[in-house]
Amino acid sequence: MRAVVVEAFGGPEELRVTEVAVPEPAAGQLRIRVRAAGVNPVDGAVRAGIFGGDAPLGFGWDVAGDVDAVGEGVTGWTVGQRVVGLHYGPFKAVGTGTHAEYVVLDAAAVAPAPASAGAEEAAVLPLSGLTAARALDLLELPAGASVLVTGAAGVVGGFAVQLAAAAGLVVTALAGAEDEALVRELGAAEFVARGGAPAAPVDGVLDAAVLGEEALGFVRDGGAYVGLRPGSAPASVRGIRMAEQEVAADGEHLARLSALVDAGDLTLRVGPTYPLEEAAAAHATLTKSGVRGRIVLTVSS
């Protein structure tokens, strides 16, 4: 099968598409025929060597595709079923990431794909959707509370705005001035242009833009702050409860997000798409600012 690899850390030009063996599912696992896979900022960080590790490495966290083989002991899944899944972790051996024609995942990391979405759309959901949902859970805000989402026009921030609004929170979105219409359409009741501040302190901040102390300053005394990059949260002040989100593969939670898509409560925003063979071009786009929606690789039969 074809798979994207980096043999020497560096820019997008270091990526290669190579032939590797088709993986076999072990007990408790599924093999998925990949139809589409998201290209996330973490993939660019791996390619550049920011996390360290040893090349060569494979890529890809998000997957949307079809069940191709079922490992021993797995029940509830059938060959051909459309699924989405999260392949957690930055360090993936060659041929084991989702940027390939096939991937093997633990069955517990997989959920039914949204029936209303195609593969390209569905591939946007796993990493970004789970990140936003887990961060919102950590805020522990009741319906009617106020929450500020920084980076609200990004994929994770956009999911956070939609999930918070669906949970009955009063959402203020912080984003670029040009994105006001977008974030209001996603469910934001109030808008703050980048560099500004909300009219009053909020009960909680979901800091998708990793503003740190600046975002913490928007929270009321005794409120809550959740950061999305482990190790980047500022020190607590004024009795503010602090937490940091660390994503995990969670098929049950992912299934709930998939159902929200089908209910019309969660919009999947696809950015530029590229065939697997053009992974280097996808990574080049990843380095550019102003891209709206998740970049997606598509895999032909």
Side-chain angles (χ1 to χ4, degrees):
M1 71 169 187
R2 296 167 296 156
V4 179
V5 303
V6 62
E7 297 177 347
F9 296 131
E13 71 279 358
E14 298 295 342
L15 294 180
R16 303 287 185 271
V17 177
T18 189
E19 289 287 335
V20 299
V22 175
E24 294 296 330
Q29 295 184 322
L30 299 173
R31 184 170 67 207
I32 299 169
R33 175 67 169 91
V34 180
R35 301 300 178 184
V39 181
N40 293 276
V42 67
D43 296 311
V46 170
R47 183 206 70 239
I50 291 173
F51 294 117
D54 297 313
L57 290 171
F59 289 90
W61 294 57
D62 293 316
V63 61
D66 315 317
V67 175
D68 181 72
V70 178
E72 182 181 354
V74 176
T75 60
W77 299 100
T78 58
V79 172
Q81 188 171 357
R82 295 181 60 244
V83 294
V84 288
L86 178 68
H87 190 350
Y88 175 84
F91 302 118
K92 296 179 172 73
V94 171
T96 65
T98 66
H99 294 177
E101 291 185 286
Y102 295 89
V103 66
V104 166
L105 294 180
D106 290 342
V110 177
S116 59
E120 293 177 14
E121 294 174 304
V124 174
L125 183 62
L127 178 56
S128 296
L130 284 171
T131 296
R134 289 168 68 88
L136 192 61
D137 287 348
L138 286 171
L139 280 173
E140 298 179 349
L141 295 176
S146 58
V147 62
L148 174 71
V149 177
T150 71
V155 179
V156 174
F159 277 139
V161 169
Q162 294 178 81
L163 291 169
L169 301 179
V170 180
V171 182
T172 297
L174 191 154
E178 67 279 8
D179 290 315
E180 180 175 1
L182 167 64
V183 296
R184 286 191 182 276
E185 183 178 345
L186 294 175
E190 303 293 340
F191 175 77
V192 177
R194 189 181 298 118
V202 294
D203 295 314
V205 163
L206 194 155
D207 192 13
V210 198
L211 299 183
E213 290 185 0
E214 179 185 352
L216 189 62
F218 302 145
V219 183
R220 66 166 174 81
D221 294 356
Y225 169 100
V226 173
L228 267 63
R229 183 181 296 167
S232 65
S236 177
V237 294
R238 299 182 284 107
I240 296 171
R241 178 171 52 82
M242 308 293 293
E244 291 184 318
Q245 186 279 151
E246 173 67 22
V247 76
D250 186 339
E252 289 186 6
H253 204 160
L254 187 54
R256 294 196 293 273
L257 295 176
S258 186
L260 287 175
V261 173
D262 285 335
D265 292 328
L266 209 53
T267 300
L268 302 171
R269 295 187 293 145
V270 179
T273 63
Y274 298 87
L276 186 71
E277 294 81 2
E278 296 180 19
H283 274 242
T285 300
L286 190 64
T287 66
K288 299 176 182 178
S289 61
V291 176
R292 290 291 173 260
R294 178 65 66 226
I295 300 167
V296 173
L297 292 178
T298 59
V299 185
S300 59
S301 301

